[in-house]
Amino acid sequence: MSTVYNRLRPASQSFMRLQTLLDRYPDIHEQELRELGELASKLTLMEEAILSGSEHLSKTLHQFRRGHTKSQRVPVAELIAFLSLPTLLAAILLWWFFA
């Protein structure tokens, strides 16, 4: 007697929406374009891998990212905030070690 486990998590609504928008990519409205940019910027590594497995979707995502690079960049303020804590921590540790 064998037991079958099927615990695969279903695709999220946002990922399915991203796939739908990528299928129609060049022919989408302005609001859908903004939505596509937001969804593409929040992809997980697993979702990226799933998209790269599909030849059509991976080429379309690459086309989108190449044409809309501004929406894919990290804002400088967020980058500075992200890097300031480790830098401050390293400076405090060096001061404590050499003081």
Side-chain angles (χ1 to χ4, degrees), residues 22-35:
L22 282 175
D23 279 335
R24 304 181 307 130
Y25 166 59
D27 302 321
I28 58 177
H29 302 296
E30 188 67 31
Q31 182 176 348
E32 291 175 328
L33 188 62
R34 277 184 260 129
E35 183 182 1

Side-chain angles (χ1 to χ4, degrees), residues 4-12 46 50:
V4 177
Y5 293 101
N6 189 2
R7 293 183 158 200
L8 294 177
R9 187 179 75 170
S12 66
M46 183 60 73
I50 291 169

Side-chain angles (χ1 to χ4, degrees), residues 90-99:
I92 290 171
L93 287 173
L94 285 173
W95 178 77
W96 177 74
F97 184 70
F98 289 113

